[in-house]
Amino acid sequence: MIVSGIDIVIQKSERKTVSIFIERDGTVSARVPEKLSDEEVRDILQAKEYQIFKNLAEWTELNENAVDREYVNGQSFLYLGRNYRLKLVDDKLDGVQFRRNTFLLSKADKEKAKELFVKFYKDKLNSKIHPIIECYKNQLGVKPNQIKVMELQNRWASCMTNGNVNFHWKCAMAPIDVLHYIVVHELAHLIHNNHTQAFWNEVDKILPNYDEQVNWLKINGVGMDL
């Protein structure tokens, strides 16, 4: 739907309010109650024109932190909130290795470096995410079904209606306290499948300072990429 010259992706569902999101790639999406007609949706979005343009301006400013990483000696890569340098070595290695605060990659594997880095992040996130989930699921009183680490495009994580919880492999780039927030956020969706005040109250019970983690993602999320 084109509103004020902006192409907005409309997602209708069983919800009561309209929420507008600027995705990490700069696209705009709106989640709206399915009972609203297209004309009603358009009227609401036009009324929120200022908010949309303001958020797009903030997105543009934040994207100045975007990086264009190359797989060369000295290039930095994020892992658990910190940047570490890459060193290409002559030795044959089993994928990307992380030793003494340095990423190691065999020169012979440079052509498939991105694929190997993705595997590294997936493996590391899988090893770290499950203990965190075990900790918080009892505090929230929820029982998630399957836990998967995968490619989620513009979302850090997702909670399905069947209880499955998915996490983007890029979450391994975030600091551990941010990772805790992402887990709590998704587990809270097993109680409230929305972003109402009741949902945020559940998050706040577990992480009273969650705004700090939200802000870190807002500022640094664009740099969590390959």
Side-chain angles (χ1 to χ4, degrees):
M1 178 180 291
I2 306 296
V3 179
S4 301
I6 301 173
D7 188 3
I8 303 178
V9 178
I10 306 300
Q11 302 172 6
K12 291 190 175 184
S13 63
E14 295 182 1
R15 56 185 295 133
K16 297 180 179 179
T17 59
V18 173
S19 297
I20 300 170
F21 300 90
I22 310 299
E23 306 292 354
R24 293 211 307 276
D25 62 358
T27 58
V28 182
S29 64
R31 296 167 196 169
V32 305
E34 58 185 4
K35 65 180 181 180
L36 294 180
S37 68
D38 289 347
E39 184 177 350
E40 289 173 321
V41 171
R42 186 181 300 278
D43 289 342
I44 292 172
L45 294 179
Q46 286 179 335
K48 294 178 178 289
E49 178 183 281
Y50 173 78
Q51 175 191 339
I52 295 172
F53 278 103
K54 179 175 179 290
N55 291 343
L56 277 172
E58 290 179 351
W59 178 89
T60 300
E61 182 179 353
L62 290 172
N63 267 263
E64 293 177 357
N65 293 325
V67 295
D68 185 14
R69 291 189 170 90
E70 299 181 55
Y71 302 97
V72 296
N73 280 318
Q75 176 67 68
S76 64
F77 290 84
L78 269 172
Y79 177 47
L80 296 181
R82 294 183 59 188
N83 278 294
Y84 300 97
R85 301 293 181 182
L86 171 65
K87 182 178 180 180
L88 299 175
V89 299
D90 294 320
D91 299 339
K92 178 61 179 176
L93 301 176
D94 182 17
V96 172
Q97 301 293 309
F98 185 69
R99 302 174 187 169
R100 297 180 181 179
N101 292 335
T102 302
F103 283 109
L104 303 178
L105 177 69
S106 173
K107 292 178 181 178
D109 291 333
K110 186 176 178 180
E111 294 302 315
K112 54 179 180 179
K114 182 173 182 178
E115 172 189 338
L116 295 176
F117 261 96
V118 170
K119 183 179 186 304
F120 169 85
Y121 288 123
K122 282 184 176 180
D123 291 343
K124 292 299 182 180
L125 187 59
N126 263 311
S127 68
K128 296 183 180 301
I129 206 80
H130 291 279
I132 299 174
I133 291 171
E134 287 299 313
C135 171
Y136 291 119
K137 74 176 188 180
N138 293 328
Q139 292 187 48
L140 286 163
V142 297
K143 294 182 179 179
N145 191 14
Q146 294 183 350
I147 307 297
K148 293 183 180 180
V149 174
M150 58 195 298
E151 171 66 50
L152 287 175
Q153 298 183 335
N154 294 318
R155 305 180 70 179
W156 297 121
S158 64
C159 180
M160 315 302 288
T161 55
N162 61 4
N164 290 351
V165 184
N166 305 316
F167 295 91
H168 200 307
W169 54 265
K170 291 180 182 179
C171 290
M173 299 182 182
I176 196 68
D177 58 339
V178 174
L179 188 53
H180 278 243
Y181 159 71
I182 294 172
V183 169
V184 170
H185 184 117
E186 296 310 318
L187 293 184
H189 275 315
L190 294 174
I191 303 173
H192 302 285
N193 190 24
N194 49 47
H195 286 104
T196 60
Q197 190 57 52
F199 164 82
W200 290 112
N201 287 342
E202 291 293 341
V203 175
D204 185 71
K205 289 177 187 176
I206 307 299
L207 299 175
N209 297 320
Y210 72 86
D211 279 349
E212 296 177 10
Q213 284 72 55
V214 172
N215 192 52
W216 191 96
L217 281 172
K218 183 178 180 181
I219 295 173
N220 299 282
V222 68
M224 293 167 60
D225 204 354
L226 290 175

